[in-house]
Amino acid sequence: MKLSTIDNGTRDGFLVVVSADHERATSAAGIAATMQEALERWTEVQPQLQELNYALERGAISDVVNFSEAKIMAPLPRSWQWLDGSAFDSHGELMSKVFGIDPPARDRPLMYQGISNQFLGPRDDVPMPSEADGIDFEGEFGVIVDEVPMGVTPEQALAHIRLIVQINDWSLRAIAPIEMKTGFGWVQAKPPCSVAPVAVTPDELGASWRDGRVDLPLLVDWNGKRFGAAGGYPMSFSFPELVAHAARTRTLCAGTIIGSGTVSNENFREVGSSCIAELRGIELLDYGEARTSFMAFGDTVRMEARTASNAPLFGAIEQRVVSAHA
């Protein structure tokens, strides 16, 4: 099942069920008005949403909209909680070289809590205060859970993963090392994330939902040129493990989003990268200096992961960076 949120002038939009081909959508208003409501009542509403999905695919619903022409918001335009991991070791090791810090320990997941009161829609322009801040994209996958009890095991956590999403976790690289050295978390270095238009239930991935990981490449284009196609499987910690880590000392409210961190592979020279900072780290290793600049106003980024048969899955994030002061 595929779900999305369409803009109706409110902060949370309205929930729709989306056809498999991403051509049509129908309102779920009679079942759950918003994505957040659906997640809070998931056990109750999931069968009803599934029946609506079946009816949409059969052509048995007349009240449909052209999904490609709709003003689409992030599936969850705001969330009670956004927790981002860093589960790809190759990315962590490269970033350690870039920032001149010790490599992270591998005995426990890395995770920080970021801004969650706003998630940008997949086609929204992205306002940034200054090009000097080191504007960077970060392609990753994420999961959305229903309420997760404190102290769950990874095996138990798996059952609480209700939706899978594709995320661009924007970063300001010039600010990040300053905030890292304080010993506290990121604030200025992490603007709101962007999320692809469609959130999917794990069954939509078929065999590509493997060991609690998204076993698909994330295709990233910068200014219309292929930048990376790293695969999502080589996570050192699976999504169930990340959820269990986050829930060790707290109950996770329904609608909590947990990210994988930047998708990265050890053979980065062959498959490319999901963020500019990683490429700069590779250049630092190869040439002794970073040669690629970060993003400029007017630059565009596109991210999409498709199924193993090349069918649409999450849809694409397609955005342009603009000046916040224009």
Side-chain angles (χ1 to χ4, degrees), residues 199-223:
V200 307
T201 49
D203 60 287
E204 288 287 342
L205 275 72
S208 297
W209 178 239
R210 186 161 72 94
D211 301 326
R213 297 164 169 86
V214 178
D215 189 11
L216 292 169
L218 179 56
L219 308 180
V220 180
D221 296 337
W222 180 15
N223 290 331

Side-chain angles (χ1 to χ4, degrees), residues 9-318:
T10 69
R11 285 290 305 273
D12 300 301
F14 69 93
L15 179 66
V16 296
V17 175
V18 181
S19 62
D21 59 9
H22 291 200
E23 293 295 325
R24 296 163 294 123
T26 189
S27 172
I31 303 169
T34 65
M35 184 75 79
Q36 181 64 37
E37 181 187 348
L39 289 159
E40 289 175 355
R41 300 169 48 222
W42 188 262
T43 303
E44 172 191 350
V45 306
Q46 187 273 336
Q48 300 173 61
L49 291 171
Q50 191 67 68
E51 284 300 318
L52 185 62
N53 178 66
Y54 293 149
L56 178 65
E57 294 297 339
R58 294 196 310 268
I61 295 178
S62 58
D63 185 16
V64 298
V65 298
N66 185 324
F67 185 65
S68 63
E69 295 180 358
K71 182 170 175 49
I72 303 165
M73 305 173 76
L76 262 180
R78 54 179 173 169
S79 168
W80 291 107
Q81 189 164 221
W82 156 240
L83 302 169
D84 197 16
S86 182
F88 292 87
D89 288 342
S90 56
H91 177 75
E93 290 167 2
L94 271 173
M95 292 303 93
S96 296
K97 290 182 172 67
V98 171
F99 293 125
I101 59 177
D102 292 333
R106 296 188 180 185
D107 59 341
R108 58 185 284 132
L110 294 176
M111 187 173 288
Y112 77 93
Q113 187 158 352
I115 181 173
S116 63
N117 65 292
Q118 179 188 17
F119 289 90
L120 299 173
R123 302 169 190 162
D124 293 345
D125 283 347
V126 183
M128 295 290 185
S130 172
E131 292 176 340
D133 290 336
I135 303 167
D136 198 359
F137 48 79
E138 288 192 64
E140 56 184 272
F141 297 110
V143 297
I144 310 179
V145 298
D146 62 6
E147 184 170 297
V148 181
M150 181 171 61
V152 294
T153 65
E155 292 74 23
Q156 293 167 333
L158 178 62
H160 291 281
I161 295 174
R162 299 307 188 178
L163 297 168
I164 304 171
V165 291
Q166 177 191 305
I167 299 167
N168 182 0
D169 175 34
W170 291 98
S171 291
L172 299 177
R173 298 299 189 183
I175 302 175
I178 298 171
E179 293 192 316
M180 290 173 69
K181 289 175 183 177
T182 68
F184 274 45
W186 284 314
V187 177
Q188 294 179 347
K190 287 293 185 178
C193 299
S194 306
V195 187
V198 179
V200 307
T201 49
D203 60 287
E204 288 287 342
L205 275 72
S208 297
W209 178 239
R210 186 161 72 94
D211 301 326
R213 297 164 169 86
V214 178
D215 189 11
L216 292 169
L218 179 56
L219 308 180
V220 180
D221 296 337
W222 180 15
N223 290 331
K225 182 179 179 181
R226 181 55 44 85
F227 187 83
Y233 184 74
M235 295 169 66
S236 53
F237 294 95
S238 68
F239 278 113
E241 289 173 309
L242 292 179
V243 173
H245 173 78
R248 182 179 178 273
T249 59
R250 68 176 83 174
T251 295
L252 304 182
C253 60
T256 296
I257 307 173
I258 296 179
S260 65
T262 305
V263 175
S264 175
N265 297 164
E266 290 185 357
N267 60 333
F268 38 68
R269 289 181 177 83
E270 290 78 42
V271 301
S273 301
S274 302
C275 72
I276 301 170
E278 187 169 293
L279 175 59
R280 286 168 60 88
I282 297 167
E283 292 171 340
L284 188 63
L285 292 177
D286 291 350
Y287 311 118
E289 62 178 358
R291 298 181 175 182
T292 301
S293 300
F294 290 110
M295 298 184 81
F297 296 146
D299 280 7
T300 60
V301 64
R302 186 182 194 277
M303 299 181 180
E304 183 178 19
R306 299 177 71 88
T307 69
S309 61
N310 201 37
L313 187 58
F314 308 104
I317 296 172
E318 299 184 76

